[in-house]
Amino acid sequence: MLGGDQADDRNMTAFTEPLSVFFGAGAEFAVSALYKGAITISGVFDNGSGASFGIAGTRPRFSCKATDVPSPARGDALVVNAINYQLADWTLDDTQTVIALELERQ
Amino acid sequence: MAAHVSTQLRNALKSALTGLATTGAHVYADRPESRSLQAAELPGLLIYTGEEVAALDSLDGGILNRTPRLRVGIRVKNTGAIDDTLDQIRKEIEIALAGGLTVAGRNLVAQYTGMSEPSLDDTLDQPVIAAELEFLFEFYTLYNAPDALV
């Protein structure tokens, strides 16, 4: 007879995360953004305050489905809340399905 | 009674650096480093009092030779050639202080002694750069009158 953890492992089944629930248009915390001047994408925009070397600023980041930004490149334009940004860097999460775009305000 | 010569020197430095082409009125003394410069305060200059060495300079012990150092912090945040902006500000500062500072009616040479390695960071909404310039001054005061030059 299997123990609790082993039984749980055997009963686990793979499933597909419904990312649109989090990042899709109409999702509770999602906003629309214009990517490269032509593509409307939807995701979660964080812009928390920060400081570095005694200089205040924010840390803008836009998280969305990786399939919405299949070939990111530094300098790609993104307009969020009517503010122009450029893509400075990006990271994929462990599942490779969510991409976080680190932005530079223009 | 006049303020300590250190205060007079710092005030003279602030006055000399106010109105430069790139940093304008964004010159701050007596500002804690934890109080970050906001967007409307950039690019900015921060004035700090540095180390001072003093030594007796007369047989009767009545005169002090003083060599205080003042630091000027440069803070820039923008896109583009941020190193070039730093260099432009350095140029304006060095030119502004080339003629020295007038303190208590005397001209004091502002000897540029160097700059710290610039610190760069790109984790904010725009890249930032920070560096510190240091200037050395030398003058004499009476041992019991640190508010006047001799």
Side-chain angles (χ1 to χ4, degrees):
Chain A
M1 185 170 178
L2 297 172
D5 288 344
Q6 290 169 303
D8 288 344
D9 290 343
R10 289 168 62 94
N11 291 330
M12 283 178 66
T13 54
F15 64 93
T16 302
E17 190 79 30
L19 294 176
S20 294
V21 172
F22 306 103
F23 302 119
E28 188 173 3
F29 299 110
V31 297
S32 291
L34 187 63
Y35 180 59
K36 293 208 282 192
I39 307 165
T40 299
I41 60 177
S42 182
V44 175
F45 181 58
D46 291 316
N47 197 22
S49 297
S52 184
F53 307 124
I55 299 172
T58 60
R59 302 186 193 281
R61 169 183 281 231
F62 191 87
S63 299
C64 61
K65 292 187 286 185
T67 52
D68 287 347
V69 188
S71 303
R74 287 194 173 82
D76 284 354
L78 189 73
V79 181
V80 187
N81 297 333
I83 297 176
N84 294 315
Y85 295 94
Q86 280 190 357
L87 184 54
D89 206 351
W90 61 91
T91 53
L92 289 163
D93 77 339
D94 290 343
T95 67
Q96 307 284 300
T97 58
V98 176
I99 188 168
L101 308 176
E102 295 174 18
L103 305 173
E104 179 180 303
R105 185 170 50 81
Q106 299 305 296
Chain B
M1 188 174 185
H4 193 287
V5 285
S6 178
T7 304
Q8 296 180 52
L9 184 61
R10 201 167 51 249
N11 289 342
L13 180 60
K14 182 177 180 182
S15 179
L17 298 182
T18 298
L20 299 183
T22 304
T23 47
H26 304 158
V27 185
Y28 309 96
D30 306 310
R31 181 164 180 142
E33 292 192 49
S34 60
R35 206 167 293 168
S36 302
L37 295 181
Q38 302 296 321
E41 299 173 314
L42 293 165
L45 303 177
L46 300 167
I47 294 174
Y48 304 107
T49 301
E51 178 188 59
E52 176 178 321
V53 174
L56 292 174
D57 198 66
S58 63
L59 292 176
D60 63 1
I63 295 178
L64 274 178
N65 170 249
R66 311 175 81 118
T67 52
R69 295 169 188 266
L70 292 184
R71 288 185 292 130
V72 180
I74 302 173
R75 301 290 185 271
V76 178
K77 175 182 164 189
N78 65 29
T79 57
I82 197 167
D83 287 292
D84 291 351
T85 304
L86 174 70
D87 288 339
Q88 175 62 30
I89 293 172
R90 292 173 59 188
K91 173 184 170 183
E92 293 168 11
I93 292 172
E94 291 180 47
I95 290 173
L97 299 182
L101 294 177
T102 299
V103 176
R106 302 267 187 88
N107 182 263
L108 301 179
V109 173
Q111 182 188 334
Y112 175 56
T113 62
M115 184 183 80
S116 65
E117 180 179 340
S119 300
L120 270 162
D121 183 36
D122 66 350
T123 62
L124 294 180
D125 51 321
Q126 292 183 331
V128 301
I129 193 167
E132 318 291 330
L133 308 187
E134 186 181 77
F135 293 87
L136 174 69
F137 298 85
E138 181 174 15
F139 51 82
Y140 298 85
T141 68
L142 291 177
Y143 189 79
N144 61 356
D147 57 347
L149 303 179
V150 295

